[in-house]
Amino acid sequence: HEGFEDNGTNLPFCWSLFENWTALNNQGFLVNTNATIAHDGQHFAQMVTQNGVVSIASPLMPIDPSDVEVFFWTQGTDNSTFEIGYVTSLDAGSTFHVVETVNVMNLMQKHYVSFASVEETSPIYVVFRAATVNAYVYLDDITIRESRSCRMPVGFSYVSSDDGSVTLDWSDAHNSGWQIAYGPVDCDPDSSTIIQNISSHPYTVENLQNDMIYDFYLRADCGTGESWWTDVGRAEPNPLLLPVSGTDT
């Protein structure tokens, strides 16, 4: 995971600038500090494409390229384009291969990119590329990890609260069994209360304490293994209150 919190205004250790223009002492890339913009924490990557594209590259990935999956958050110029792809070398002139292009909006949004279609056999560097000239992109909370054969549900979200309960829902076109973990704010899902053998949704988590804020996580149960946990959803069991927050994964 990379949240740009540990190296001041510089790139994180082991990350690289792959493309960057400079003009009048203004660089196209820096790590900025503004807690109201950052998805989490204080810092985020700022990519400004005034006179050319800007891209950064991850460390070399020690896994099969087709097993790579990437989660990240962006905010920036409305309808600007942001490319996620890879290179096999950081040398000048190395070919950048686009895996997916996403649209950036002027609010923090989460994106997921699977590299399952990549046929490269050499190790890769994952590249994040601000491609629209005369635009800006804020990039934060990057997670690059090895995919699992059991796919994650999507759209995990709050439905309603009642006396001592919270109802949650999600979408899943691949699985028919799920697990929900819950506990106090900032809990670790693997060490929290886990409800198993869920076979339908929406699902109501009961026997909760009113006026206490809970974190909820969801994963698919494929029988032979589980998916990764979704991002946290946060809600409070009280019939008079709306949810504190929720995350659409």
Side-chain angles (χ1 to χ4, degrees):
H1 177 80
E2 184 53 64
F4 303 99
E5 298 292 333
D6 299 325
N7 199 27
T9 59
N10 302 310
L11 262 175
F13 298 108
C14 299
W15 285 69
S16 307
L17 276 172
F18 185 63
E19 299 165 291
N20 189 35
W21 66 272
T22 59
L24 301 177
N25 298 319
N26 292 318
Q27 287 205 346
F29 176 88
L30 60 85
V31 174
N32 210 336
T33 304
N34 188 329
T36 62
I37 293 177
H39 171 251
D40 191 26
Q42 302 283 327
H43 299 88
F44 55 93
Q46 176 176 298
M47 306 166 81
V48 180
T49 58
Q50 183 176 339
N51 286 331
V53 298
V54 180
S55 63
I56 60 173
S58 74
L60 191 66
M61 293 291 101
I63 58 178
D64 188 307
S66 64
D67 287 336
V68 170
E69 61 180 13
V70 184
F71 300 83
F72 59 98
W73 292 79
T74 63
Q75 177 178 335
T77 303
D78 274 338
N79 296 313
S80 56
T81 56
F82 194 72
E83 297 171 340
I84 301 85
Y86 67 93
V87 294
T88 57
S89 169
L90 297 177
D91 295 338
S94 296
T95 300
F96 170 61
H97 303 271
V98 178
V99 174
E100 189 166 323
T101 299
V102 301
N103 287 329
V104 175
M105 304 299 290
N106 191 24
L107 75 165
M108 270 291 175
Q109 291 182 307
K110 187 177 184 182
H111 308 278
Y112 166 72
V113 176
S114 169
F115 281 49
S117 62
V118 172
E119 297 180 353
E120 181 62 58
T121 56
S122 300
I124 63 171
Y125 302 85
V126 177
V127 174
F128 300 82
R129 190 174 192 255
T132 300
V133 177
N134 293 321
Y136 71 92
V137 175
Y138 302 143
L139 174 65
D140 203 6
D141 283 341
I142 299 169
T143 298
I144 305 173
R145 66 190 182 193
E146 188 172 10
S147 62
R148 291 182 174 179
S149 58
C150 187
R151 299 174 118 188
M152 277 200 320
V154 297
F156 183 45
S157 60
Y158 164 93
V159 175
S160 63
S161 292
D162 207 337
D163 187 15
S165 68
V166 168
T167 299
L168 307 164
D169 202 4
W170 56 90
S171 297
D172 194 335
H174 307 283
N175 308 294
S176 58
W178 304 274
Q179 299 176 1
I180 291 176
Y182 68 93
V185 171
D186 295 329
C187 64
D188 177 357
D190 287 316
S191 58
S192 301
T193 301
I194 298 177
I195 304 171
Q196 303 191 48
N197 301 317
I198 298 171
S199 59
S200 63
H201 59 96
Y203 185 85
T204 299
V205 181
E206 300 179 322
N207 301 315
L208 302 176
Q209 180 179 328
N210 283 338
D211 301 323
M212 176 176 171
I213 299 172
Y214 287 86
D215 280 355
F216 298 89
Y217 299 84
L218 173 74
R219 69 183 176 188
D221 183 352
C222 296
T224 56
E226 296 87 23
S227 72
W228 295 103
W229 291 107
T230 63
D231 277 348
V232 63
R234 188 164 290 170
E236 183 174 345
N238 187 316
L240 302 180
L241 293 178
L242 293 173
V244 176
S245 68
T247 302
D248 188 357
T249 302

